[in-house]
């Protein structure tokens, strides 16, 4: 990267006010997209030079469903079909259409930029040193004040302390291009941001924390959302293949409970095999280990929550289903990514910048 001057947008008095930026929003057409765009339009400050909405669930003929774009953004917004290959691929597609800008701001379709988001973004970008590849927003997850948060709400709340998530992340196009963009092997909205961050750091760029604030409402995915989320264990296998066994420390990613899930699953499987083989005592011992592990996991999720009848029932059912689901996706990841090779070093940019330090992760419940 060269130390050239960033492209800027002129103010009303002719003076420069902020670097030119584009916004890229990958979406599957969720209702939250409308709220996101409305908040973006009302956020004040310098407007984006372009807004690219990549709809990853187009119709069979490749057309995207109609979208009501706020009037303030209508002239600069383009809506294009994605390839249904996940948010990483959609972000790459949007970045290619961002135009001649100094920064690309990636927003998830379920976030809500604050009323001062545009002004704060302009300040974040203007202050970023030349060696800074990306500037993250401060993510806020509104939680209920009249009760304890549910398991799903607590999981979403973890985004507020996560590092480098692309829920709201501004990236220099030249830095993104230097490391090859997002890795499209990450098909879910999981770990593709940590992978990008580690590649940027390895290439000598810096990652900074900005001042702008963006709300991320708690996800509402129904009883089995936590079970479906175990698919991320396959992505964790890919992260280990690409970045080595210490990737969690470098990415400040909690280790989670996969080792315990594997142990509980093994105990349950052993109990079943022993029972079928007529070995009752061994089956009882293994079954007791499975029950103890499942009960411990359920209690760890029930106690911090509202403890309503519905929540307790959900935690009991999903605590029995999560360990085998996590183990299955881990095994699937081992098979799927068995040929993945460690990342090759990327040439360092001309401008210097110290990589951001990672804090040691804390263990997560699920």
């Amino acid at each position: 990267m060269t130390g050239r001057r960033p492209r800027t947008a002129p103010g009303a008095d002719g003076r420069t006010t902020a670097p030119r930026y584009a916004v890229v929003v990958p979406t599957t057409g969720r209702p939250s997209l409308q709220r996101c765009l409305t908040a973006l339009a009302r956020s004040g400050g310098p407007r984006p030079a372009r807004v690219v909405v990549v709809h990853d669930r187009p119709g069979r003929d490749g057309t995207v469903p109609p979208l009501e774009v706020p009037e303030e953004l209508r002239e600069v917004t383009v809506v294009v079909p994605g390839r249904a290959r996940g948010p990483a691929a959609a972000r790459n597609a949007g970045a290619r259409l961002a135009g001649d800008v100094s920064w690309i701001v990636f927003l998830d379709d379920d976030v809500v930029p604050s009323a001062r988001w545009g002004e704060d973004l302009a300040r974040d970008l203007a202050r970023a040193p030349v060696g800074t590849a990306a500037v993250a927003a401060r993510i806020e997850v509104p939680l209920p004040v009249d009760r304890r948060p549910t398991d799903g709400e607590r999981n979403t709340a973890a985004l507020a302390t996560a590092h480098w998530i692309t829920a709201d992340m501004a990236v220099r196009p030249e830095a993104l291009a230097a490391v090859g963009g997002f890795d499209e092997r990450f098909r879910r909205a999981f770990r593709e941001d940590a992978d990008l961050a580690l590649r940027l750091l390895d290439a000598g760029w810096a990652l900074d924390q900005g001042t702008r604030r963006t709300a991320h409402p708690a996800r509402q995915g129904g009883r089995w959302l936590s079970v479906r989320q175990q698919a991320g264990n396959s992505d964790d296998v890919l992260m280990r293949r690409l970045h080595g066994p210490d990737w969690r420390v470098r990415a400040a990613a909690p280790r989670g409970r996969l080792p315990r899930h594997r142990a509980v699953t093994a105990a349950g499987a052993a109990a079943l095999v022993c029972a079928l083989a007529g070995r009752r005592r061994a089956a009882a011992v293994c079954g007791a280990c499975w029950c103890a592990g499942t009960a411990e996991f359920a209690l760890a999720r029930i106690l911090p929550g509202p403890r309503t009848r519905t929540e307790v029932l959900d935690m009991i059912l999903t605590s029995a289903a999560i360990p085998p689901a996590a183990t299955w996706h881990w095994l699937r990841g081992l098979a799927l990514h068995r040929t993945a090779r460690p990342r090759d070093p990327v040439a360092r940019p001309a401008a210097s910048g110290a990589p951001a330090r990672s804090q040691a992760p804390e263990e997560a419940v699920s």
Side-chain angles (χ1 to χ4, degrees):
M1 187 188 76
T2 61
R4 57 187 168 86
R5 220 185 242 284
R7 294 176 287 275
T8 54
D13 57 359
R15 295 181 300 178
T16 58
T17 57
R20 280 171 55 87
Y21 71 96
V23 173
V24 172
V25 185
T27 185
T28 56
R30 295 185 292 184
S32 59
L33 173 62
Q34 196 69 57
R35 180 176 55 187
C36 173
L37 293 178
T38 299
L40 178 63
R42 297 175 179 174
S43 64
R47 295 291 183 193
R50 179 170 293 180
V51 177
V52 184
V53 178
V54 183
H55 200 297
D56 219 21
R57 289 185 183 173
R60 292 184 178 179
D61 58 354
T63 59
V64 297
L67 174 64
E68 183 62 32
V69 178
E71 183 177 356
E72 298 92 333
L73 301 176
R74 204 163 293 164
E75 291 185 359
V76 299
T77 299
V78 294
V79 183
V80 297
R83 295 178 293 151
R85 293 184 57 85
R91 292 191 187 102
N92 285 338
R96 289 191 289 269
L97 299 174
D100 185 29
V101 293
S102 297
W103 294 86
I104 300 173
V105 183
F106 295 102
L107 293 179
D108 283 354
D109 68 352
D110 56 350
V111 302
V112 183
S114 70
R116 291 182 50 85
W117 183 88
E119 300 171 15
D120 294 339
L121 172 69
R123 182 167 57 252
D124 287 346
L125 302 186
R127 291 177 176 177
V130 176
T132 294
V135 183
R138 298 180 184 274
I139 302 298
E140 299 177 339
V141 180
L143 294 175
V145 296
D146 58 340
R147 59 168 174 80
R148 295 179 178 182
T150 64
D151 180 71
E153 290 167 342
R154 294 195 305 275
N155 285 339
T156 307
L159 296 176
T161 56
H163 288 228
W164 313 318
I165 59 173
T166 44
D168 183 342
M169 175 73 76
V171 183
R172 292 188 191 271
E174 55 266 41
L176 190 66
V179 297
F182 288 90
D183 190 329
E184 298 183 9
R185 285 174 291 185
F186 293 93
R187 299 288 292 271
R188 286 168 290 275
F190 190 68
R191 300 304 188 208
E192 84 288 357
D193 42 15
D195 169 72
L196 177 67
L198 291 183
R199 285 187 283 134
L200 289 169
L201 291 174
D202 288 343
W205 297 86
L207 305 176
D208 290 347
Q209 177 73 61
T211 61
R212 66 190 186 280
R213 297 183 180 274
T214 299
H216 193 305
R219 298 188 182 102
Q220 304 296 328
R223 169 177 289 173
W224 303 107
L225 174 63
S226 57
V227 179
R228 295 194 298 271
Q229 289 177 332
Q230 301 311 309
N233 285 284
S234 176
D235 300 308
D236 285 350
V237 172
L238 180 56
M239 287 292 291
R240 183 182 176 90
R241 297 285 195 200
L242 298 176
H243 300 286
D246 66 338
W247 74 268
R248 287 186 181 275
V249 175
R250 298 176 58 219
R255 190 165 187 264
R257 297 175 65 105
L258 180 60
R260 300 190 204 184
H261 290 335
R262 293 199 300 253
V264 170
T265 301
L272 180 60
V273 170
C274 289
L276 293 175
R279 302 178 61 180
R280 295 183 179 180
R281 180 173 297 181
V285 171
C286 293
C289 292
W290 177 84
C291 288
T294 302
E296 182 275 331
F297 183 36
L299 282 174
R301 302 169 70 210
I302 291 170
L303 293 179
R307 306 180 195 176
T308 62
R309 181 177 180 179
T310 299
E311 177 77 359
V312 170
L313 177 61
D314 288 352
M315 294 303 97
I316 292 174
L317 292 175
T318 56
S319 294
I322 284 175
T327 302
W328 161 253
H329 286 293
W330 171 69
L331 292 171
R332 177 176 171 271
L334 291 177
L336 183 64
H337 304 303
R338 63 187 182 280
T339 60
R341 294 291 180 263
R343 295 285 190 192
D344 292 329
V346 179
R348 297 174 65 89
S352 62
R357 291 187 176 181
S358 301
Q359 298 178 350
E362 297 179 358
E363 184 175 288
V365 170
S366 60

